[in-house]
Amino acid sequence: MTVPIAKLSFWGVRGSTPTVDPATWRYGGNTPCLELIAPDGTQIILDCGTGLRMLGSRWAVPNGGKAPGTHILVTHYHWDHIQGIPFFSPLYVENNEFHFYSFRSKFLGRDSLKQVFEAQMALPYFPVDMSAMSARRKFKEVDGGDSFTVGENKITARWLNHPQGCLGFRIETRAGTVAYATDNEPGDAKMDESLRELAAGADLLINDAQFTPEQLETTRKGWGHSSWLEGVKAARHAAAKTLVLFHHDPDSTDRMVDSILRQAREEFDSVFAASEGMVITIGAPGDPVQAHMPGTRTALRREAQFHAKVCGVTEGGKDFEEETVVRDISLQGALISLKHLPRLQSELQVTMEAPGGDGVQSMNLRGYVVRIDEGPEKGHVAVGVVFTD
Ligand SMILES: [Zn+2]
Ligand SMILES: [Zn+2]
């Protein structure tokens, strides 16, 4: 019998509006879109932000076409959660089938999401209208408190605290449970309880971390979002195993998100900052939750040979120091072969010997672990780092 594994891919992690600022490149600028492939092959998409376009351009028929259709859960109708819909190419392919789930908005009434589709594509906002979308689309209304199944997976919806309403979703698969709670402000007793119910014992809690705890108490109070600290509290309270900080502010640079992640890791054992391209597997042998960054952004690499000393933190949380040779380097980063397994999204201090005008000079760089692959040599891992200064 094979072990059931669920795979969660992050296609968009930014809140409010997309950003293409180079200072936000590492975590990514597309707005919310996640894809969960459950162990039974069911494909579930969470939100339709601009990340949905990227998912569409790399479209693969789930489960070899055996699972009937794709299920799309939309948390609410703010731009950052629907903007990818007109740009999702699989919607323009005749034999595709999509099942959309969202709530009845009091501002729109019946068929709210269908109306959102039509309004988004109405003239003069978009060059073609809805009739160009030839895929089959089915719309289902869900309310806070509802539970339903898709394939063999149980989905529960709960209201969260956000202007004009927002649903959080709990997805229970054979491999483990994912709670998706974006766009939520803590402080409303009833909705705080909803969050705890969604996240109870979850393997993964994806939580809104748009603002800093200071902003949340002052200038951003009432804006409908949360912080890393509230995420940590919720994860602890609900006994969730891993916390993913999500819905990064468009004004948060990569360095600011690094610092948010660092603070959260001081308070909670297993935390990641959602990053575009990140894939988390649940249920695989070994660690129950594993994060990877597939090598999609490694252009501009050059072969080289620099002797280097690398200091960092291992997956198990221990400091290490190791001598190695850096063979693959660009101005942005390097691929470093290490015997130690550093923690994904941790910092490495890389001291390299670089031949200069007056013999050998040493270069001190701060690297940030963005991916870990099996190394070319036995007993080594290939660690992709991005230099942050
Ligand atoms: Zn949002
Ligand atoms: Zn929102």
Side-chain angles (χ1 to χ4, degrees):
M1 210 185 102
T2 50
V3 189
I5 292 173
K7 195 177 117 187
L8 181 71
S9 306
F10 292 79
W11 296 93
V13 303
R14 195 62 62 171
S16 305
T17 187
T19 161
V20 290
D21 181 340
T24 58
W25 169 87
R26 201 149 36 83
Y27 287 99
N30 280 301
T31 61
C33 179
L34 276 65
E35 177 196 22
L36 179 73
I37 307 286
D40 63 342
T42 301
Q43 185 192 25
I44 298 166
I45 295 174
L46 295 155
D47 274 328
C48 299
T50 59
L52 185 66
R53 185 180 65 86
M54 312 285 287
L55 167 55
S57 62
R58 306 216 172 88
W59 189 248
V61 179
N63 199 21
K66 274 179 266 160
T70 299
H71 301 267
I72 303 187
L73 312 177
V74 179
T75 58
H76 65 306
Y77 306 113
H78 287 160
W79 281 117
D80 52 326
H81 298 258
I82 59 164
Q83 226 166 358
I85 291 171
F87 301 95
F88 184 50
S89 53
L91 278 171
Y92 299 85
V93 178
E94 211 162 316
N95 288 324
N96 290 339
E97 185 176 309
F98 295 95
H99 302 260
F100 287 92
Y101 305 80
S102 61
F103 65 88
R104 182 185 293 205
S105 160
K106 71 173 180 195
F107 301 94
L108 296 169
R110 266 193 72 180
D111 290 329
S112 288
L113 186 59
K114 218 168 158 186
Q115 290 185 53
V116 166
F117 265 62
E118 280 159 11
Q120 268 191 316
M121 296 184 76
L123 307 175
Y125 301 113
F126 201 68
V128 296
D129 69 21
M130 281 272 286
S131 62
M133 277 189 180
S134 43
R136 276 192 302 282
R137 283 155 291 156
K138 293 180 179 158
F139 295 90
K140 190 172 168 2
E141 237 168 47
V142 290
D143 202 347
D146 285 358
S147 276
F148 51 99
T149 55
V150 291
E152 52 176 48
N153 312 288
K154 183 182 174 201
I155 301 179
T156 306
R158 287 270 186 277
W159 289 115
L160 296 175
N161 187 26
H162 195 61
Q164 297 98 51
C166 178
L167 288 176
F169 294 104
R170 175 185 173 91
I171 306 167
E172 293 169 50
T173 79
R174 245 190 318 137
T177 296
V178 175
Y180 179 57
T182 187
D183 296 62
N184 177 43
E185 180 161 348
D188 176 297
K190 216 172 124 208
M191 311 258 193
D192 289 350
E193 183 53 33
S194 292
L195 177 62
R196 279 196 287 276
E197 285 170 21
L198 286 173
D203 294 274
L204 213 58
L205 166 60
I206 300 148
N207 199 70
D208 185 323
Q210 179 154 1
F211 301 135
T212 64
E214 300 72 36
Q215 284 177 317
L216 193 59
E217 268 174 29
T218 55
T219 55
R220 299 289 185 262
K221 200 178 168 69
W223 287 37
H225 295 287
S226 189
S227 73
W228 67 264
L229 183 58
E230 293 297 332
V232 164
K233 283 188 205 160
R236 247 189 227 139
H237 211 108
K241 296 182 188 77
T242 294
L243 170 67
V244 180
L245 307 173
F246 187 71
H247 205 274
H248 308 306
D249 193 274
D251 288 331
S252 289
T253 61
D254 291 331
R255 300 300 296 275
M256 287 155 84
V257 180
D258 287 349
S259 135
I260 285 170
L261 174 62
R262 205 175 305 128
Q263 294 173 73
R265 280 184 169 170
E266 276 165 24
E267 300 292 328
F268 196 72
D269 247 7
S270 183
V271 189
F272 294 102
S275 189
E276 219 171 275
M278 182 187 245
V279 178
I280 294 184
T281 52
I282 303 160
D287 280 339
V289 171
Q290 295 172 18
H292 312 269
M293 290 290 290
T296 49
R297 296 171 165 200
T298 48
L300 293 172
R301 298 200 324 238
R302 294 287 175 271
E303 296 270 314
Q305 284 237 6
F306 295 105
H307 287 280
K309 192 173 87 182
V310 180
C311 307
V313 184
T314 65
E315 180 56 32
K318 290 205 171 61
D319 290 341
F320 74 88
E321 198 180 298
E322 179 180 341
E323 307 267 338
T324 184
V325 175
V326 177
R327 292 199 175 85
D328 194 333
I329 188 167
S330 77
L331 289 177
Q332 288 94 18
L335 199 61
I336 304 174
S337 170
L338 291 177
K339 284 194 279 273
H340 290 94
L341 175 64
R343 177 180 281 185
L344 190 71
Q345 295 186 329
S346 70
E347 242 173 41
L348 291 182
Q349 203 64 49
V350 183
T351 311
M352 273 192 289
E353 285 178 4
D358 312 308
V360 171
Q361 292 179 342
S362 93
M363 201 161 45
N364 244 320
L365 294 165
R366 182 141 57 155
Y368 178 88
V369 180
V370 291
R371 54 180 283 223
I372 297 168
D373 296 315
E374 233 170 80
E377 305 144 79
K378 208 169 166 269
H380 283 67
V381 284
V383 178
V385 299
V386 166
F387 296 128
T388 52
D389 60 15

mmCIF file of all heavy atoms in Angstrom, residues 29-53:
data_model
loop_
_atom_site.group_PDB
_atom_site.id
_atom_site.type_symbol
_atom_site.label_atom_id
_atom_site.label_comp_id
_atom_site.label_asym_id
_atom_site.label_seq_id
_atom_site.Cartn_x
_atom_site.Cartn_y
_atom_site.Cartn_z
ATOM 1 N N GLY A 29 5.358 38.266 -6.076
ATOM 2 C CA GLY A 29 4.414 39.391 -6.092
ATOM 3 C C GLY A 29 3.002 39.056 -6.500
ATOM 4 O O GLY A 29 2.147 39.934 -6.507
ATOM 5 N N ASN A 30 2.717 37.806 -6.854
ATOM 6 C CA ASN A 30 1.347 37.470 -7.263
ATOM 7 C C ASN A 30 0.416 37.331 -6.065
ATOM 8 O O ASN A 30 0.831 36.910 -4.988
ATOM 9 C CB ASN A 30 1.337 36.175 -8.084
ATOM 10 C CG ASN A 30 1.733 36.414 -9.528
ATOM 11 O OD1 ASN A 30 1.083 37.191 -10.239
ATOM 12 N ND2 ASN A 30 2.805 35.794 -9.954
ATOM 13 N N THR A 31 -0.861 37.653 -6.290
ATOM 14 C CA THR A 31 -1.837 37.609 -5.194
ATOM 15 C C THR A 31 -2.392 36.178 -5.033
ATOM 16 O O THR A 31 -2.203 35.332 -5.898
ATOM 17 C CB THR A 31 -2.961 38.650 -5.400
ATOM 18 O OG1 THR A 31 -3.652 38.354 -6.609
ATOM 19 C CG2 THR A 31 -2.387 40.064 -5.460
ATOM 20 N N PRO A 32 -3.099 35.899 -3.894
ATOM 21 C CA PRO A 32 -3.355 34.537 -3.445
ATOM 22 C C PRO A 32 -3.895 33.528 -4.449
ATOM 23 O O PRO A 32 -4.914 33.754 -5.105
ATOM 24 C CB PRO A 32 -4.352 34.735 -2.303
ATOM 25 C CG PRO A 32 -3.938 36.031 -1.711
ATOM 26 C CD PRO A 32 -3.568 36.887 -2.908
ATOM 27 N N CYS A 33 -3.188 32.429 -4.530
ATOM 28 C CA CYS A 33 -3.660 31.253 -5.259
ATOM 29 C C CYS A 33 -2.830 30.052 -4.798
ATOM 30 O O CYS A 33 -1.605 30.087 -4.868
ATOM 31 C CB CYS A 33 -3.520 31.438 -6.758
ATOM 32 S SG CYS A 33 -4.074 29.984 -7.670
ATOM 33 N N LEU A 34 -3.508 29.043 -4.282
ATOM 34 C CA LEU A 34 -2.859 27.809 -3.830
ATOM 35 C C LEU A 34 -3.496 26.640 -4.558
ATOM 36 O O LEU A 34 -4.654 26.714 -4.956
ATOM 37 C CB LEU A 34 -3.076 27.616 -2.328
ATOM 38 C CG LEU A 34 -2.141 28.304 -1.354
ATOM 39 C CD1 LEU A 34 -2.287 29.810 -1.437
ATOM 40 C CD2 LEU A 34 -2.469 27.859 0.060
ATOM 41 N N GLU A 35 -2.747 25.575 -4.690
ATOM 42 C CA GLU A 35 -3.280 24.375 -5.334
ATOM 43 C C GLU A 35 -2.955 23.171 -4.458
ATOM 44 O O GLU A 35 -1.792 22.939 -4.139
ATOM 45 C CB GLU A 35 -2.622 24.210 -6.708
ATOM 46 C CG GLU A 35 -3.037 22.978 -7.455
ATOM 47 C CD GLU A 35 -2.074 22.650 -8.609
ATOM 48 O OE1 GLU A 35 -0.916 23.096 -8.578
ATOM 49 O OE2 GLU A 35 -2.505 21.940 -9.527
ATOM 50 N N LEU A 36 -3.996 22.448 -4.093
ATOM 51 C CA LEU A 36 -3.794 21.239 -3.286
ATOM 52 C C LEU A 36 -4.179 20.014 -4.106
ATOM 53 O O LEU A 36 -5.285 19.945 -4.634
ATOM 54 C CB LEU A 36 -4.672 21.315 -2.025
ATOM 55 C CG LEU A 36 -4.579 20.109 -1.090
ATOM 56 C CD1 LEU A 36 -3.260 20.087 -0.325
ATOM 57 C CD2 LEU A 36 -5.736 20.098 -0.094
ATOM 58 N N ILE A 37 -3.231 19.091 -4.245
ATOM 59 C CA ILE A 37 -3.560 17.805 -4.858
ATOM 60 C C ILE A 37 -3.669 16.802 -3.719
ATOM 61 O O ILE A 37 -2.691 16.505 -3.041
ATOM 62 C CB ILE A 37 -2.476 17.342 -5.869
ATOM 63 C CG1 ILE A 37 -2.172 18.428 -6.905
ATOM 64 C CG2 ILE A 37 -2.893 16.026 -6.535
ATOM 65 C CD1 ILE A 37 -3.215 18.634 -7.968
ATOM 66 N N ALA A 38 -4.892 16.338 -3.492
ATOM 67 C CA ALA A 38 -5.151 15.403 -2.391
ATOM 68 C C ALA A 38 -4.680 14.002 -2.789
ATOM 69 O O ALA A 38 -4.461 13.742 -3.970
ATOM 70 C CB ALA A 38 -6.646 15.408 -2.077
ATOM 71 N N PRO A 39 -4.518 13.105 -1.803
ATOM 72 C CA PRO A 39 -4.023 11.760 -2.125
ATOM 73 C C PRO A 39 -4.885 11.014 -3.152
ATOM 74 O O PRO A 39 -4.379 10.197 -3.894
ATOM 75 C CB PRO A 39 -4.060 11.031 -0.776
ATOM 76 C CG PRO A 39 -4.024 12.101 0.247
ATOM 77 C CD PRO A 39 -4.689 13.291 -0.344
ATOM 78 N N ASP A 40 -6.180 11.315 -3.219
ATOM 79 C CA ASP A 40 -7.037 10.619 -4.187
ATOM 80 C C ASP A 40 -6.995 11.279 -5.578
ATOM 81 O O ASP A 40 -7.748 10.912 -6.464
ATOM 82 C CB ASP A 40 -8.486 10.575 -3.678
ATOM 83 C CG ASP A 40 -9.108 11.950 -3.535
ATOM 84 O OD1 ASP A 40 -8.364 12.955 -3.487
ATOM 85 O OD2 ASP A 40 -10.350 12.051 -3.469
ATOM 86 N N GLY A 41 -6.126 12.285 -5.741
ATOM 87 C CA GLY A 41 -5.985 12.934 -7.042
ATOM 88 C C GLY A 41 -6.894 14.150 -7.220
ATOM 89 O O GLY A 41 -6.792 14.868 -8.207
ATOM 90 N N THR A 42 -7.781 14.398 -6.261
ATOM 91 C CA THR A 42 -8.655 15.574 -6.346
ATOM 92 C C THR A 42 -7.813 16.842 -6.351
ATOM 93 O O THR A 42 -6.906 17.000 -5.532
ATOM 94 C CB THR A 42 -9.626 15.617 -5.144
ATOM 95 O OG1 THR A 42 -10.396 14.426 -5.145
ATOM 96 C CG2 THR A 42 -10.548 16.816 -5.208
ATOM 97 N N GLN A 43 -8.111 17.745 -7.281
ATOM 98 C CA GLN A 43 -7.377 19.008 -7.367
ATOM 99 C C GLN A 43 -8.251 20.121 -6.803
ATOM 100 O O GLN A 43 -9.363 20.350 -7.289
ATOM 101 C CB GLN A 43 -7.031 19.303 -8.828
ATOM 102 C CG GLN A 43 -6.163 20.548 -8.998
ATOM 103 C CD GLN A 43 -6.070 20.988 -10.444
ATOM 104 O OE1 GLN A 43 -6.955 20.702 -11.248
ATOM 105 N NE2 GLN A 43 -5.013 21.691 -10.789
ATOM 106 N N ILE A 44 -7.725 20.787 -5.785
ATOM 107 C CA ILE A 44 -8.472 21.870 -5.143
ATOM 108 C C ILE A 44 -7.651 23.150 -5.257
ATOM 109 O O ILE A 44 -6.485 23.193 -4.869
ATOM 110 C CB ILE A 44 -8.744 21.545 -3.657
ATOM 111 C CG1 ILE A 44 -9.603 20.271 -3.552
ATOM 112 C CG2 ILE A 44 -9.426 22.716 -2.958
ATOM 113 C CD1 ILE A 44 -9.647 19.661 -2.160
ATOM 114 N N ILE A 45 -8.258 24.197 -5.812
ATOM 115 C CA ILE A 45 -7.571 25.489 -5.914
ATOM 116 C C ILE A 45 -8.171 26.412 -4.868
ATOM 117 O O ILE A 45 -9.392 26.470 -4.704
ATOM 118 C CB ILE A 45 -7.725 26.080 -7.338
ATOM 119 C CG1 ILE A 45 -7.011 25.162 -8.354
ATOM 120 C CG2 ILE A 45 -7.165 27.494 -7.419
ATOM 121 C CD1 ILE A 45 -7.207 25.562 -9.804
ATOM 122 N N LEU A 46 -7.316 27.104 -4.135
ATOM 123 C CA LEU A 46 -7.767 28.042 -3.113
ATOM 124 C C LEU A 46 -7.487 29.456 -3.601
ATOM 125 O O LEU A 46 -6.332 29.853 -3.753
ATOM 126 C CB LEU A 46 -7.034 27.777 -1.801
ATOM 127 C CG LEU A 46 -7.340 26.420 -1.151
ATOM 128 C CD1 LEU A 46 -6.206 25.979 -0.262
ATOM 129 C CD2 LEU A 46 -8.645 26.491 -0.393
ATOM 130 N N ASP A 47 -8.526 30.185 -3.880
ATOM 131 C CA ASP A 47 -8.487 31.577 -4.335
ATOM 132 C C ASP A 47 -7.937 31.741 -5.757
ATOM 133 O O ASP A 47 -7.212 30.904 -6.265
ATOM 134 C CB ASP A 47 -7.733 32.472 -3.349
ATOM 135 C CG ASP A 47 -8.647 32.975 -2.230
ATOM 136 O OD1 ASP A 47 -9.850 33.163 -2.509
ATOM 137 O OD2 ASP A 47 -8.176 33.169 -1.099
ATOM 138 N N CYS A 48 -8.369 32.844 -6.361
ATOM 139 C CA CYS A 48 -8.102 33.092 -7.786
ATOM 140 C C CYS A 48 -7.383 34.418 -7.982
ATOM 141 O O CYS A 48 -7.746 35.222 -8.851
ATOM 142 C CB CYS A 48 -9.409 33.085 -8.568
ATOM 143 S SG CYS A 48 -10.264 31.514 -8.475
ATOM 144 N N GLY A 49 -6.366 34.692 -7.167
ATOM 145 C CA GLY A 49 -5.557 35.895 -7.362
ATOM 146 C C GLY A 49 -4.711 35.765 -8.615
ATOM 147 O O GLY A 49 -4.851 34.797 -9.381
ATOM 148 N N THR A 50 -3.798 36.708 -8.825
ATOM 149 C CA THR A 50 -3.020 36.716 -10.071
ATOM 150 C C THR A 50 -2.124 35.479 -10.216
ATOM 151 O O THR A 50 -1.723 35.138 -11.327
ATOM 152 C CB THR A 50 -2.157 37.987 -10.190
ATOM 153 O OG1 THR A 50 -1.266 38.051 -9.063
ATOM 154 C CG2 THR A 50 -3.006 39.240 -10.237
ATOM 155 N N GLY A 51 -1.851 34.782 -9.113
ATOM 156 C CA GLY A 51 -1.090 33.534 -9.192
ATOM 157 C C GLY A 51 -1.788 32.480 -10.029
ATOM 158 O O GLY A 51 -1.154 31.565 -10.564
ATOM 159 N N LEU A 52 -3.112 32.605 -10.174
ATOM 160 C CA LEU A 52 -3.897 31.631 -10.947
ATOM 161 C C LEU A 52 -3.447 31.581 -12.408
ATOM 162 O O LEU A 52 -3.488 30.536 -13.041
ATOM 163 C CB LEU A 52 -5.389 31.994 -10.859
ATOM 164 C CG LEU A 52 -6.378 31.028 -11.507
ATOM 165 C CD1 LEU A 52 -6.395 29.674 -10.797
ATOM 166 C CD2 LEU A 52 -7.788 31.625 -11.509
ATOM 167 N N ARG A 53 -3.009 32.711 -12.939
ATOM 168 C CA ARG A 53 -2.543 32.750 -14.323
ATOM 169 C C ARG A 53 -1.336 31.829 -14.514
ATOM 170 O O ARG A 53 -1.251 31.075 -15.487
ATOM 171 C CB ARG A 53 -2.154 34.181 -14.724
ATOM 172 C CG ARG A 53 -1.770 34.319 -16.187
ATOM 173 C CD ARG A 53 -1.407 35.759 -16.511
ATOM 174 N NE ARG A 53 -0.200 36.190 -15.803
ATOM 175 C CZ ARG A 53 1.039 36.004 -16.251
ATOM 176 N NH1 ARG A 53 1.246 35.421 -17.400
ATOM 177 N NH2 ARG A 53 2.080 36.403 -15.537
#
